Amino acid sequence: MYDYLIVGAGLYGAVFARELTNRGKRCLVIDRRDHIAGNVYTENVSGIQVHRYGAHIFHTSDREVWDYVNQFAEFNNYINSPIAVYHDELYNLPFNMNTFSKMWGIRTPAEARAKIAEQVAALNITQPRNLEEQALSLVGTDVYTKLVKEYTEKQWGRDCRELPAFIIKRLPCRFTYDNNYFNDRYQGIPIGGYTAMVEKMLSGVEVRLNTDYFDLIRQEPNIARRIVYTGCIDEFFGYRLGALSYRSVRFETEELEMPDYQGNAVVNYTSHQQPYTRIIEHKHFEFGTQPTTVISREYSAEWKPGMEPYYPVNDAENGALYAEYRKLADETGNVIFGGRLGQYRYYDMDKVIRAALDDLKSV
């Protein structure tokens, strides 16, 4: 018997495994996939660390979390500065003075503020009824039309007028010429990729891949005293209350016989002209100089059974259903539910690690 069966070899499970092993507990980590590291998994293609499940850029203002991950990897100084393409126009993200200067031909923060205020006032939206009205009331017509509307519709697979307003609580505008997407104090990519980092986290821990939790527990129901479960919470309970909604992502990845495809790691395509949401060029995450390059086109998709769930649909209906599953989870004394699927929450990487470290305090 193990002290802990940890279901999922992603960041949440790896933190639990590392810390419990350090405490002298006997842990078994399983994953239904053929690799560790969950969605942060990176694989070497012609010397390039390819983010198989989409771009993962580590950023945090939590010094404890930053110090924690630096035990297992050395991080480079990559700064995320995405580019947005709308038809034949190109803009910097996040919305900043470079964006506004290109869009309106202005130069000063005062001019940009005045332009946004003028457009917002003309719309006279007092109580936003949906995502479209919420976004328009925050950034006005031009920014919404070129950089928010169609990109969001591709992400969610529905018209912005059909999406609830609270999905966009704010759309930050920076009135400086700063293309750094994140405001966090610490940012970078682990040199050599995330897989190597998670391998170090799991050093000395027994790991079984290609192993399904439900198959294992049927065969060995008493395999562990406690379970840490990072899969879908509704699946754990056999969907007895109904299925939660998720969004999935499909990738088209190819290696190209050229040293550079787009000159930037992340380029978003914000119109319906392209069916994909963005193109990732992986070598730029580590400032690669390889003679070839690897790109991935990302297509957002409605999740269906058999697909990989990437992030929850946090609307009111799903929130209420998750609350009911949470009650069931609280009644399950020997199971800890964690991670983005176990807690039905859209987590950045640092927040996953923070949640795991906090949850470990009560174990």
Side-chain angles (χ1 to χ4, degrees):
M1 177 180 284
Y2 295 89
D3 294 306
Y4 287 86
L5 171 64
I6 298 171
V7 183
L11 290 175
Y12 189 96
V15 171
F16 252 80
R18 176 75 274 133
E19 296 308 300
L20 290 172
T21 299
N22 289 349
R23 296 180 191 179
K25 302 297 183 182
R26 189 173 179 225
C27 299
L28 170 63
V29 176
I30 66 170
D31 202 295
R32 61 172 53 160
R33 300 179 186 177
D34 62 359
H35 60 77
I36 63 169
N39 280 8
V40 304
Y41 174 71
T42 52
E43 57 184 339
N44 189 312
V45 177
S46 298
I48 299 167
Q49 288 296 322
V50 173
H51 298 218
R52 186 193 285 186
Y53 302 98
H56 285 82
I57 299 138
F58 198 92
H59 58 98
T60 188
S61 292
D62 188 328
R63 179 60 186 267
E64 183 183 356
V65 168
W66 181 245
D67 289 342
Y68 186 83
V69 294
N70 274 269
Q71 297 177 83
F72 310 105
E74 180 183 355
F75 283 73
N76 67 17
N77 61 338
Y78 174 82
I79 298 295
N80 191 32
S81 302
I83 298 296
V85 174
Y86 179 76
H87 296 289
D88 60 348
E89 301 171 25
L90 186 147
Y91 297 99
N92 290 103
L93 294 176
F95 314 142
N96 65 45
M97 285 304 301
N98 288 309
T99 317
F100 307 140
S101 177
K102 179 73 177 292
M103 190 172 290
W104 298 316
I106 53 93
R107 293 177 57 188
T108 68
E111 290 175 296
R113 291 179 191 275
K115 191 73 173 177
I116 292 171
E118 175 189 353
Q119 293 188 3
V120 169
L123 294 163
N124 194 30
I125 298 171
T126 54
Q127 293 292 328
R129 295 168 297 177
N130 52 53
L131 185 148
E132 176 165 288
E133 292 186 355
Q134 174 78 350
L136 285 168
S137 69
L138 292 170
V139 294
T141 308
D142 291 345
V143 173
Y144 171 71
T145 300
K146 295 185 177 185
L147 300 177
V148 178
K149 176 178 167 56
E150 294 175 47
Y151 187 83
T152 303
E153 290 175 348
K154 287 194 288 187
Q155 276 191 311
W156 291 95
R158 47 185 61 85
D159 191 288
C160 284
R161 289 166 294 189
E162 299 173 6
L163 293 166
F166 68 78
I167 288 180
I168 292 184
K169 293 184 173 67
R170 62 189 185 93
L171 282 170
C173 293
R174 294 187 193 163
F175 298 96
T176 60
Y177 289 90
D178 180 7
N179 295 324
N180 182 357
Y181 193 81
F182 301 117
N183 286 316
D184 288 308
R185 170 69 179 83
Y186 308 104
Q187 182 177 174
I189 305 283
I191 296 171
Y194 286 97
T195 303
M197 182 182 85
V198 176
E199 280 178 352
K200 289 184 179 179
M201 295 172 77
L202 293 173
S203 176
V205 180
E206 185 178 348
V207 178
R208 297 185 198 173
L209 302 176
N210 300 301
T211 301
D212 181 82
Y213 165 75
F214 300 101
D215 292 340
L216 177 65
I217 215 70
R218 277 193 294 270
Q219 296 165 11
E220 301 181 66
N222 299 313
I223 192 170
R225 293 183 176 88
R226 296 197 73 183
I227 296 166
V228 178
Y229 185 83
T230 69
C232 296
I233 190 170
D234 52 343
E235 183 183 17
F236 181 89
F237 290 106
Y239 305 105
R240 71 176 73 165
L241 304 177
L244 290 162
S245 298
Y246 302 88
R247 292 295 291 174
S248 191
V249 184
R250 178 173 63 85
F251 301 92
E252 289 180 354
T253 298
E254 59 180 320
E255 185 173 4
L256 303 174
E257 295 296 326
M258 59 177 68
D260 197 346
Y261 176 75
Q262 62 187 18
N264 204 51
V266 181
V267 177
N268 291 2
Y269 288 83
T270 62
S271 82
H272 287 306
Q273 191 175 44
Q274 295 85 12
Y276 41 85
T277 55
R278 61 182 182 176
I279 296 178
I280 305 303
E281 187 166 10
H282 301 269
K283 70 190 304 178
H284 293 303
F285 290 126
E286 294 196 62
F287 318 108
T289 59
Q290 296 87 352
T292 64
T293 192
V294 179
I295 65 168
S296 296
R297 295 178 182 86
E298 296 188 11
Y299 299 80
S300 184
E302 198 77 29
W303 177 84
K304 296 176 183 177
M307 298 172 67
E308 184 63 35
Y310 276 79
Y311 51 92
V313 179
N314 291 130
D315 58 17
E317 181 180 353
N318 282 286
L321 181 56
Y322 169 69
E324 294 303 309
Y325 275 118
R326 186 67 251 177
K327 290 177 185 176
L328 292 178
D330 291 340
E331 296 167 2
T332 309
N334 69 328
V335 183
I336 299 165
F337 293 86
R340 62 193 169 85
L341 303 179
Q343 296 178 353
Y344 199 66
R345 193 175 301 176
Y346 185 85
Y347 273 130
D348 286 329
M349 288 179 284
D350 66 319
K351 299 301 190 296
V352 172
I353 293 169
R354 166 48 60 199
L357 292 173
D358 288 345
D359 291 346
L360 277 156
K361 294 174 184 176
S362 58
V363 172

